[in-house]
Every structure is written in structure tokens, then in C-alpha cells.
Amino acid sequence: MTETHQKTLNRAPSEKPAATAVKRGYHHGNLREALLVAAEELIAEVGPAGFTLADACRRAGVSTAAPYRHFEDRNALLAAVCMRGFEALARTTGEAKASLPPGTIESILAGSRGYLTFALENPERFKLMFGRQPDITSKPQVEQTGRDCFGNLLDAVSAFLEREGRGGEDPMPLALRIWALVHGVASLVLEGPLEVIAPGNDPGSIIDQAGRAILEGERHRAVGD
């Protein structure tokens, strides 16, 4: 495991104190938010498989009957956590490239590094968002939030193609290549094979080098090739 990766993972526990503030908000009627934050904290600690609705109630300081005012069951609460995850991922990637001109290679690479940062700082939530749990991730509202998040990459690639004089081109093929690279690297880090097969390699550098090669290749590709 690289020093950068270890430092990133070590930051996650610092988010815990938020629960106390949300509990205070619940007494003013903020039950839904209290349950969501409790669920996010528990997922970070025990993973989606170890999460229970009863534990979320205890963490939020409410009765076990309280969640049903807002969520029909455990899966509904986890679906809401997924949606918030995609919204947070979109913010993270957006903030990472906010200071750079849209459509530049550096802007797309910065957003890609933001994606990696989110995955490493929220490993269990990331696994929930992209896991094979159709009762959760296949809910229409979750799928839509995920598409909206991916739409940010489509917009970035569209801006890149526009700068290259290819404004009418479908951005999807190139966006998928970038996403496959970034998501693949993030998954290899979280699951462990990257450190086993190629110890000491910085995942951010891998994304920078491979992403730049993809985008530079597109820059030199003639329209219609």
C-alpha cells in the first residue's frame, strides 16, 4: 500500500463527529437526515453487509419504528445513501477541476483524480454504490442519480471534443474509456490486487499517465477516423 493511499484511508474516521450535530437536528424534526448520517457512518465502519436498520436507529437515537416515516425498509434507506453518494461524488469531481479551464486535458485528469479520492476516502459507500445489489442500485431514483453523476464526465468530454474542433461528435465512447480507466484503478486499489501485483505504484499517477495517453491520442485523431 502506498503512503498516499494509507493517508487517504486514515482520514475517514475523522468524519464521525457529524452524528452528534445531526442528532441535535433530529430533535427539531430532522429525522431523515439523522438516519442517513447514521447509516453512512455505520456503512463506513461495518460495510453494507453488516448494516442493519436497528443499528442505524440506535446510532441516530430514535426508536426502531421511526425510520418507517421516511423509508419503507432497509433497502430504501440504503438506496438513499447511494443517491447521496453519487451526489457527493459529483461534487468531489467538480471541485477537483473547478479552477481549470473546461475541456482541457488537465481538467479531465483533475476530475479523474477527484473520483479516485472519493473512492479511497469512502471505500464501503463506493462499493455499495457500484455493487451488485439490484434491490438497491436498480431503483429508478438511484439509477437516475448515477446517470446524472456520469453526465458530468460526458459534459467534460463534450467540452474537450469542442476544443478539438469535433463538437458534433458523440462523447460517450471516449467518456466510457476514461471512466473504465479511473473506476478500474479505484477498484483495484480498494480490492487489493494493485498493491499485490505492482507494489509502490501511485494510483493517481497511473490515472494521470494512462488518461493523458488516451486524451492525447484523441487529440491527434482525425475527425471521422
Side-chain angles (χ1 to χ4, degrees), residues 49-61:
F51 167 81
T52 69
L53 202 53
D55 287 340
C57 291
R58 280 191 289 272
R59 176 66 61 94

Side-chain angles (χ1 to χ4, degrees), residues 7-220:
K7 287 181 179 178
T8 302
L9 292 181
N10 286 342
R11 286 201 295 270
S14 65
E15 299 176 359
K16 276 187 172 183
T20 301
V22 174
K23 281 185 186 179
R24 287 198 296 269
Y26 163 65
H27 294 299
H28 294 89
N30 201 7
L31 171 61
R32 188 177 191 277
E33 180 67 13
L35 289 167
L36 282 167
V37 171
E40 289 168 347
E41 289 181 350
L42 286 165
I43 289 167
E45 294 170 12
V46 303
F51 167 81
T52 69
L53 202 53
D55 287 340
C57 291
R58 280 191 289 272
R59 176 66 61 94
V62 300
S63 73
T64 54
Y68 299 101
R69 302 175 193 175
H70 296 282
F71 307 103
E72 62 182 5
D73 55 22
R74 173 182 180 275
N75 286 347
L77 177 54
L78 289 176
V81 170
C82 281
M83 292 171 65
R84 281 165 59 109
F86 283 119
E87 291 165 356
L89 175 56
R91 286 194 302 272
T92 301
T93 57
E95 290 167 0
K97 62 184 181 182
S99 63
L100 297 166
T104 59
I105 289 178
E106 292 304 328
S107 173
I108 294 176
L109 293 179
S112 299
R113 290 192 298 272
Y115 189 105
L116 176 66
T117 295
F118 177 87
L120 299 188
E121 291 185 347
N122 305 274
E124 296 301 333
R125 183 159 41 154
F126 188 80
K127 292 173 187 176
L128 172 66
M129 291 159 57
F130 294 100
R132 294 181 180 178
Q133 301 184 69
D135 290 343
I136 299 168
T137 56
S138 293
K139 289 182 180 294
Q141 63 270 35
V142 177
E143 291 183 339
Q144 184 59 56
T145 311
R147 283 193 292 268
D148 291 343
C149 182
F150 182 71
N152 293 324
L153 177 57
L154 283 174
D155 290 343
V157 171
S158 292
F160 169 77
L161 293 173
E162 183 72 33
R163 289 176 70 96
E164 297 303 314
R166 295 158 56 185
E169 191 171 324
D170 181 8
M172 183 63 80
L174 178 55
L176 287 174
R177 290 164 63 194
I178 298 295
W179 183 39
L181 164 67
V182 179
H183 189 85
V185 170
S187 297
L188 286 172
V189 175
L190 294 182
E191 299 300 334
L194 183 63
E195 184 63 19
V196 173
I197 300 300
N201 281 271
D202 178 62
S205 297
I206 295 172
I207 287 173
D208 276 350
Q209 294 168 10
R212 188 177 298 279
I214 291 171
L215 293 166
E216 288 286 0
E218 284 295 317
R219 170 172 282 173
H220 298 294

